Amino acid sequence: MTVYSVLITSVVGYLLGSISFAVIVARSQGVDIFKFGSGNPGATNVKRALGAKFGNLVFALDALKGFVAAGWPL
């Protein structure tokens, strides 16, 4: 493992973690998720605001993001 591979993996993990699918999905439907329900941009709040279809989509995208980050080769 080289210093560059650790640096690249760290940057990719940081960038993946900074993507908020809850905000993206809610804004695509015209909802400011920060002003609805608990104000937390997460799958549960999206599910409350937009229904199960969009809440489950956010959950699946967040899970996929985690799988990609965990499976990223070093």
Side-chain angles (χ1 to χ4, degrees):
M1 179 177 355
T2 66
V3 174
Y4 293 115
S5 66
V6 171
L7 181 64
I8 290 171
T9 302
S10 298
V11 169
V12 169
Y14 178 80
L15 292 174
L16 280 173
S18 69
I19 299 170
S20 177
F21 287 114
V23 173
I24 293 169
V25 169
R27 284 196 182 155
S28 74
Q29 299 302 310
V31 173
D32 184 4
I33 199 65
F34 295 107
K35 294 182 180 178
F36 190 87
S38 66
N40 180 23
T44 301
N45 205 29
V46 171
K47 193 171 186 175
R48 283 186 202 123
L50 300 174
K53 175 183 167 184
F54 292 108
N56 291 338
L57 175 64
V58 169
F59 182 78
L61 290 171
D62 283 343
L64 180 64
K65 177 174 61 170
F67 287 128
V68 169
W72 191 264
L74 285 178

